[in-house]
Amino acid sequence: MSKIVVISGHPDLEKSHTNTVILKCLEDSPESMDIRRLDRLYPDFRIDVEAEQAALKAADVIVLQFPFHWYAVPALLKKWVDDVFSYNFAYGPEGDKLKGKDFILSLTIGGAEETYDPLGYNHFKIEQFLHPLQQTAYLAGLVYRAPVYTHRMVYIPGVYNRLEDVQSRARDHAGRLLEQIDGLLNSPQARIERFVTEWFRQFDQLPQSSDWFLEHLDRDVNWVMPDGRYSGHAGFRDWYSHARETFRPGCDHQVEQLEVRRSDTGYQVDLRIRLLAETFEGSPFGGEAVNMLVNETWQVSLDAQGRVTIHDYLVEAVDSQA
């Protein structure tokens, strides 16, 4: 399963002087990548939605690689977004399939940097032109990362730029993109952030067994909830049993804020979580739907294999509506 999927949106890579260089650098990198060249896969614009969605679901990092055409993505890439980011996949009541995945826009720009300025003939900054894609990422629950882009990436023989200069800039662009990808996948903060996503995905399901959670809890974990303090694995089992009697499976833990920073013993994770859940009639909520906002503070450690262990878990209620 590829951790990285790269969607190449160039309409005709055979005519490209820069995107081909960038893709070749990505192919030659040690990272495992699924590079999907839309111009070869779908020259007729008939997107295989099921195949594309499967590729996205298998990835931790999604990269859109494209030339900046008329202040937007090329038509083929726009068609891909329109078809693949569908209802109940990227948005809607069941549209959480992309939630928590890192999303990078990697684009080549023909014009010089100074032209993308209020005083230049393009009038707006590149980031402003990217706002529709940024909002698309937010709606789909993707984690929008800083875009990677390079100017003066068009070669017109005898008119604009030298081929060797353009291709040199393309190799530099690929290096910056790979550096960002490596940081997202391999930094301690990134590993912990991915763990947080998976932690709450498991809690949303409320499986009968608590074994998956116990594997990531220190045997002497200090578990502090608004209703009391629980110690060790036995204490967590007691709390989890109570939670399963209170909340129906299919909860929605929304991570509204997340910060990971070093601490004296490892890492501290500060979160603001909104819980949307249905409850059982016999629970303290009497079967009413719950909309609860809480602050959470975790103390965690990370071993050499990148495995996260939680040592302290503190939850404080901010407000709740039932």
Side-chain angles (χ1 to χ4, degrees), residues 56-77:
L56 297 184
K57 288 171 66 176
D60 295 316
V61 178
I62 299 169
V63 179
L64 300 191
Q65 175 63 51
F66 61 94
F68 198 49
H69 281 185
W70 284 107
Y71 311 110
V73 300
L76 179 56
L77 183 55

Side-chain angles (χ1 to χ4, degrees), residues 242-248 277-290 322:
H242 176 66
R244 293 191 72 251
E245 293 172 352
T246 301
F247 301 107
R248 295 181 182 274
E278 301 292 330
T279 66
F280 291 106
E281 291 186 3
S283 74
F285 297 102
E288 296 291 325
V290 169

Side-chain angles (χ1 to χ4, degrees), residues 65 171 189 251 306 311:
Q65 175 63 51
R171 287 188 288 272
Q189 288 80 3
C251 303
H311 302 272

